[in-house]
Amino acid sequence: MASPEAGQAQAFEIPPAECVTTVLSCLAVDRRLGGVLFVGLPPGWLAPLGAWLCHAIGADPAGMVTLGSAESEDDLWCRPLGGTGAPAASGGSWLLPGPGRLAEPPHGPPVAIIPDLARASLAVTRAAVTLVGADAAVVDRHGQHVSWQPRTRWLAACSRADLGRLSGHLLDRFPVRVSTENLYAARWSPQKLRVALAEDGGANSSPLGLPSAGDNILRALGRVPHLGDDAARVVVRAVGTAAAPARRDLALGRLARAVAALEASDEVAPAHVRRAAALVGLAVPEEAVPSAGRLPDPDPLPPPQEPRGEDRPVPKGLPDEGVREDRPGGPVTITGDPEPAGTLRDLPVPPGLASAGLYLEDAPEALPEFGSLRQPWQRRGRQRSARGLIVGTEPTRELADLSITATVLEAARYQPLRRLPAAESGSPQEAGRRIVIYGADLHRYRRQAGPDATLALVLDHTCHRHWQWTADLAPYLGWAYTRRAAVTVVELGHAGAASDLRAEAYRAASVRDRRIIGSLSRPPGLASPLAYGLDLAIQHLRRQVRYGAAATEEAWLVVVSDGRGNVPLEASLREEAPWPVGTEGIRDALAVAAGARTLPRVRSVVIAPPGLAHYPQLPFDLAAALGGIVADVTYSPDSAA
Amino acid sequence: MDKPPELIFPYSWIVGQQAMRQALEIAYVAPAVGGVLIRGQRGTAKSTTARAFAQMMSGDLPVTLPIGATDDRVLGGWHVKDLLESKTTWKPGLLEEAGAGKEPGMLYIDEVNLLDDHLVNIILDVASTGLLAVQRDGADMTVPAKFTLVGTMNPEEGNLRPQLLDRFGLLVEVRSVETEAQRREILTRVLQFDKENPEAPSDGLAEGLRSNTERKDLLIAARQRVAAEGELDPSDVVLDLAAGIAQEFGVEGHRAELVMIRAARALAAIGGAPEVLPGHVGEVAEAAITHRRSSGESGTMLSWSRETDDPVVARHVAAAEARLTSPGPAGTGPTTAS
């Protein structure tokens, strides 16, 4: 079925269920595809798809690993295992670190599923970034070193609403995405319902009514069709946009190759690329398809074909059109294309890309959570930090941050008792040499906790010429006091600034720091590097809310400004006075402020001077950019300086 | 667990990314440069290139520091199983492993900005001093650990602090290839590589591996030349050039010019030049300066500008070249005034 835009792009639709099974079949055929992200799939429906994939590759579904919001780094990489062959004196058991669920020998689990990628734990998302599509993996935790060649196939699901706020870095690991929103829109026939009811729960059941894995998967395994120049051109043009990372080209190329293998073809034809592109919601520009390969819309699901002889022999050498070697045998440089080769920026964005909306991170207006692989976005209870000043030890049941000395000292108290069984068993000498440690002996360090709340205060001194702002700041300073919050103060535009073009920042352990009093009463200056000041504050906050386990749980970004920044960001960074002074400083401030919207657990407020005569809308623009509010500051004689 | 595959994407098959390749080669030829930070958007072959380079030079994958590494594996710690048997066996950490060889090895940190800051601090301290001091869990030792630090990072996940950036000798900003021909070439090569059998490489792969060997030999020779006494001593004009560029860009400290000079020597050695020329300094200036320019404490890095920054370097280089070609004491003597 041709798309309405068929005049410009060749696109055809594949029924959603067929889309899902074909993509899963492709993943079964070529593990290098890494993983598939199902957009719009309810979390509960991913496990049946994982089981389907397990059946397709001949793996036991029991070996499939499900990853969610609770998994920690230790669960995934290295978990304490009960050892066998422990000394008899220890009661025959001990606790040793062993490979975690994703590092199970020899190549990790056959299939790993993340039912809700947007709510997966930090450990899970970091694992996905590390492992999906990787050639090699390594784990170094708790005395254990493991390296392996991952062969895990990953399936993930997330709602379309969550897609836009996922890390671009994470999404990059899932270049193969399938829209499943219409998967179950079609009404099932009574016959299909009967089949689903009959098969539900069976070892070879077709999950949720999907057709069973076909024999064509088995026949396609090991078949590696050749992808020639024509097909490669179609792949690159189907992906189109220059913002697309190379992984997407490779994924579409591999997908097309798997489609060709499933059809028992030895050559990847442009039609295979079209089919693969349709699977992931891309349309192929018509001019990208060579006339010889411009085929009518393919059949919805070509029947599996018998293999035609042996695999195609590996082609010798690589095409070297347009490729120059810098030196004999050295790295190559592309010197040009035999055909007129424009840059990808010249290419139109395929209409399929825009309409499918599966690659939201490409859009200029995309605003994914910044640095989300450093801290999970969901609110969580305060965790004990593995960093910070050691202030003692405490019993523990975990192996993290163990205090060896305290553990051994605890165990030492019971040694005569514990060695007794060994002595009685006839090896008194052996028993005398060994120290027997039980799990109950384990002690970890107790560390000083850091503040879990932060107040970031941006003070634009140019705006308090006739305004006593302390009263308006009082609620936020009071909050910081009662929450024992750390305070980051960013000051700009005061007469005594070391540089008029830059803001200054310092961090105080609490609001009681004496420097804060001084910061509230500086004489105003002329320049207002608001963009730089906001950048500084947002960077500080990012560190506070992202880094490590001691991250901030709650933060306020309080911007005291009239929004009239008159120093562009680049001028601040270069420390060169701007000329002429236009509105660039204001535009930069709004652009930088947008970064605050991506910070989790941070609330923003703009406090502007009361009764602004000029540009009264600027504070509201700034608050909108920050994703915050404008505080109600009413003029009163008391607030006038 | 089996070992990772020995056959990884060959270095000579990498398409484009000239700046990244050059920086890695410089860091190998002149380890004193102090490592490379590769900064770029996703999908720009950062990791592939770094691994391929290490594989080419050492025949093995680099010692890799994964993002979830714990302190005991980074610094070293007691062997847990032995400890439970009342034996104390020290298990070297990754830093010691990377620096254990006769020649400095490579410590590769994928996604360096996802590591906890305290780990990054430790690693950079060891990288700059060449000594690993361990004082934990009753152990007290100092061991030499010399390695070339190669880190990759995606700025979408946040920046490194300026103080940490400065510890990397060179910084390379990589971008996606833009031409259709290059993208097609990458696609063709990677998909071709998928089909390769390590036991029976295709002619194309065999040629690529031969290219790797030639490149490796060239780099080893260059490294020996840089290490040799009296070889490629920079002239005063070249030294003055590096200092002048660093000063004009307002770089704090003197690490930038030192790195520039060391990198220029390496570049001259790789190219087989008889001496270090101003052009060599100009070629490495961007990688040595970009992350050291004073951009305040926010950590937001000012990108290198082709319009405003390149001409500054070009002007300095042209002036230095003019001094070299002008009659009179051309600055080759050790006492020539600048």
Side-chain angles (χ1 to χ4, degrees), chain A residues 225-280:
Chain A
H226 174 68
L227 184 131
D229 266 358
D230 283 348
R233 182 172 287 107
V234 181
V235 168
V236 171
R237 295 199 170 180
V239 172
T241 172
R247 272 194 187 86
R248 212 174 294 165
D249 290 345
L250 300 179
L252 184 56
R254 284 172 173 145
L255 201 60
R257 191 169 62 181
V259 168
L262 286 169
E263 294 179 8
S265 171
D266 291 330
E267 184 83 21
V268 181
H272 294 127
V273 180
R274 287 184 58 207
R275 169 167 279 276
L279 290 171
V280 294

Side-chain angles (χ1 to χ4, degrees), chain A residues 264-430:
Chain A
S265 171
D266 291 330
E267 184 83 21
V268 181
H272 294 127
V273 180
R274 287 184 58 207
R275 169 167 279 276
L279 290 171
V280 294
L282 295 176
V284 180
E286 191 165 1
E287 66 274 15
V289 183
S291 53
R294 199 167 291 161
L295 304 175
D297 291 344
D299 297 332
L301 184 62
Q305 297 174 18
E306 290 301 317
R308 289 176 293 184
E310 295 299 315
D311 285 355
R312 186 186 176 88
V314 176
K316 293 183 168 60
L318 286 166
D320 54 4
E321 278 181 346
V323 177
R324 171 175 64 80
E325 292 208 350
D326 290 333
R327 56 189 71 80
V332 293
T333 307
I334 305 296
T335 55
D337 195 42
E339 297 170 26
T343 62
L344 287 174
R345 288 206 174 97
D346 301 331
L347 298 175
V349 176
L353 182 74
S355 60
L358 295 178
Y359 299 94
L360 296 181
E361 68 269 33
D362 292 346
E365 63 274 16
L367 207 59
E369 269 196 271
F370 185 89
S372 55
L373 296 178
R374 283 180 161 164
Q375 187 77 11
W377 37 74
Q378 65 267 43
R379 192 179 286 266
R380 62 178 188 179
R382 177 132 191 94
Q383 289 198 340
R384 185 184 167 277
S385 172
R387 295 164 55 188
L389 195 65
I390 294 170
V391 293
T393 62
E394 60 189 356
T396 181
R397 291 182 173 188
E398 299 169 356
L399 291 175
D401 206 23
L402 274 188
S403 165
I404 303 291
T405 309
T407 301
V408 171
L409 286 177
E410 180 69 17
R413 297 158 59 189
Y414 305 104
Q415 291 310 298
L417 196 60
R418 293 175 186 175
R419 285 172 180 159
L420 204 55
E424 286 173 350
S425 68
S427 54
Q429 195 177 357
E430 184 72 4

Side-chain angles (χ1 to χ4, degrees), chain A residues 32 73 94-97 103-108 126 129-130 135-136 138-149 167-169 172-173 224-227 229 232-233 235-237 239-242 244-247 249-250 253-254 257 314-319 323 326-332 334 336-337 342-345 347 361-362 370-374 387 402 404 433-435 437 445 502 504-505 532 535-536 539-540 543 547-548 570 573-574, chain B residues 1-5 8-9 11-16 18 21 25 42-44 51 61 64-73 78-81 83-86 91 94 97 110-118 137-138 154-162 176-196 202-204 207-208 210-212 214-215 218 293-303 305 308-309:
Chain A
R32 293 183 190 85
E73 300 261 1
W94 55 14
L95 216 54
L96 282 176
E104 286 166 1
H107 300 292
R126 283 158 63 113
V129 165
T130 307
D135 294 330
V138 60
V139 166
D140 279 278
R141 289 182 72 81
H142 304 313
Q144 188 183 222
H145 170 81
V146 184
S147 63
W148 75 102
Q149 182 183 359
S167 150
H169 199 175
D172 179 49
R173 298 302 193 263
V224 191
H226 174 68
L227 184 131
D229 266 358
R233 182 172 287 107
V235 168
V236 171
R237 295 199 170 180
V239 172
T241 172
R247 272 194 187 86
D249 290 345
L250 300 179
R254 284 172 173 145
R257 191 169 62 181
V314 176
K316 293 183 168 60
L318 286 166
V323 177
D326 290 333
R327 56 189 71 80
V332 293
I334 305 296
D337 195 42
T343 62
L344 287 174
R345 288 206 174 97
L347 298 175
E361 68 269 33
D362 292 346
F370 185 89
S372 55
L373 296 178
R374 283 180 161 164
R387 295 164 55 188
L402 274 188
I404 303 291
R433 281 197 297 115
R434 288 184 170 170
I435 181 167
I437 297 178
Y445 293 116
R502 288 188 175 175
E504 299 157 346
Y532 186 82
D535 187 36
L536 207 54
Q539 296 285 1
H540 272 258
R543 292 200 187 99
Y547 274 59
E570 179 154 347
L573 293 172
R574 288 182 181 275
Chain B
M1 288 280 169
D2 60 347
K3 293 291 289 178
I8 69 166
F9 197 78
Y11 183 70
S12 57
W13 274 20
I14 305 278
V15 177
Q18 174 62 24
R21 294 198 314 243
E25 293 181 357
R42 53 193 186 270
T44 45
R51 288 201 181 110
L61 289 173
T64 302
L65 199 150
I67 54 177
T70 50
D71 297 13
D72 65 304
R73 286 301 302 134
W78 298 114
H79 201 290
V80 178
K81 189 176 176 184
L83 207 59
L84 291 175
E85 292 179 359
S86 303
K91 189 169 185 177
L94 294 170
E97 249 177 64
D110 203 6
E111 317 293 359
V112 63
N113 52 339
L114 293 184
L115 279 184
D116 263 358
D117 254 13
H118 78 290
D137 290 340
N154 179 342
E156 287 175 8
E157 298 301 337
N159 291 314
L160 286 176
R161 294 199 314 271
S176 300
V177 295
E178 288 186 358
T179 67
E180 189 183 331
Q182 279 184 313
R183 289 184 80 151
R184 221 169 45 230
E185 184 62 22
I186 292 170
L187 176 67
T188 318
R189 287 197 168 202
V190 173
L191 263 60
Q192 164 69 24
F193 184 73
D194 284 352
K195 298 196 285 188
E196 292 290 349
S202 68
D203 288 350
E207 175 57 31
R210 267 196 299 278
S211 302
N212 271 7
E214 286 169 16
R215 192 71 187 160
L218 186 149
R293 280 195 288 189
S294 172
S295 61
E297 56 181 304
S298 76
T300 299
M301 212 172 69
L302 192 58
S303 288
S305 162
T308 56
D309 296 327

Side-chain angles (χ1 to χ4, degrees), chain B residues 2-310:
Chain B
D2 60 347
K3 293 291 289 178
E6 289 183 4
L7 183 63
I8 69 166
F9 197 78
Y11 183 70
S12 57
W13 274 20
I14 305 278
V15 177
Q17 307 300 4
Q18 174 62 24
M20 178 164 42
R21 294 198 314 243
Q22 186 182 71
L24 288 170
E25 293 181 357
I26 286 172
Y28 172 82
V29 169
V33 160
V36 180
L37 177 61
I38 303 167
R39 186 178 185 275
Q41 299 295 332
R42 53 193 186 270
T44 45
K46 301 185 294 288
S47 304
T48 304
T49 308
R51 288 201 181 110
F53 181 75
Q55 168 87 1
M56 177 179 80
M57 297 312 300
S58 69
D60 206 349
L61 289 173
V63 174
T64 302
L65 199 150
I67 54 177
T70 50
D71 297 13
D72 65 304
R73 286 301 302 134
V74 176
L75 297 166
W78 298 114
H79 201 290
V80 178
K81 189 176 176 184
D82 284 356
L83 207 59
L84 291 175
E85 292 179 359
S86 303
K87 291 184 284 188
T88 52
T89 312
W90 185 254
K91 189 169 185 177
L94 294 170
L95 298 180
E96 201 174 335
E97 249 177 64
K102 206 180 290 180
E103 297 282 326
M106 179 196 281
L107 179 66
Y108 173 61
I109 310 176
D110 203 6
E111 317 293 359
V112 63
N113 52 339
L114 293 184
L115 279 184
D116 263 358
D117 254 13
H118 78 290
L119 277 184
V120 181
N121 281 338
I122 292 168
I123 293 161
L124 293 173
D125 276 347
V126 176
S128 59
T129 61
L131 288 175
L132 169 64
V134 182
Q135 286 172 327
R136 51 184 276 126
D137 290 340
D140 182 0
M141 61 178 78
T142 302
V143 290
K146 294 198 171 177
F147 50 81
T148 300
L149 189 63
V150 176
T152 59
M153 64 172 275
N154 179 342
E156 287 175 8
E157 298 301 337
N159 291 314
L160 286 176
R161 294 199 314 271
Q163 297 89 331
L164 301 184
L165 282 174
D166 182 48
R167 299 292 186 81
F168 283 96
L170 302 173
L171 181 141
V172 189
E173 283 199 79
V174 289
R175 294 173 183 84
S176 300
V177 295
E178 288 186 358
T179 67
E180 189 183 331
Q182 279 184 313
R183 289 184 80 151
R184 221 169 45 230
E185 184 62 22
I186 292 170
L187 176 67
T188 318
R189 287 197 168 202
V190 173
L191 263 60
Q192 164 69 24
F193 184 73
D194 284 352
K195 298 196 285 188
E196 292 290 349
N197 175 4
E199 305 297 328
S202 68
D203 288 350
L205 180 62
E207 175 57 31
L209 296 176
R210 267 196 299 278
S211 302
N212 271 7
T213 307
E214 286 169 16
R215 192 71 187 160
K216 176 183 173 184
D217 292 344
L218 186 149
L219 294 177
I220 289 173
R223 180 164 166 153
Q224 288 166 347
R225 194 171 164 215
V226 165
E229 191 83 21
E231 275 282 336
L232 290 170
D233 279 345
S235 66
D236 279 6
V237 168
V238 165
L239 297 177
D240 200 35
L241 168 64
I245 292 174
Q247 188 183 30
E248 175 133 4
F249 281 99
V251 176
E252 292 172 5
H254 298 285
R255 212 190 298 263
E257 48 259 53
L258 293 175
V259 167
M260 250 188 287
I261 292 162
R262 287 172 179 143
R265 286 186 72 219
L267 199 59
I270 293 169
E275 61 179 327
V276 185
L277 297 171
H280 294 128
V281 177
E283 211 171 322
V284 299
E286 178 184 338
I289 295 281
T290 302
H291 54 306
R292 295 193 169 88
R293 280 195 288 189
S294 172
S295 61
E297 56 181 304
S298 76
T300 299
M301 212 172 69
L302 192 58
S303 288
W304 190 264
S305 162
R306 298 276 163 243
E307 288 75 34
T308 56
D309 296 327
D310 272 351

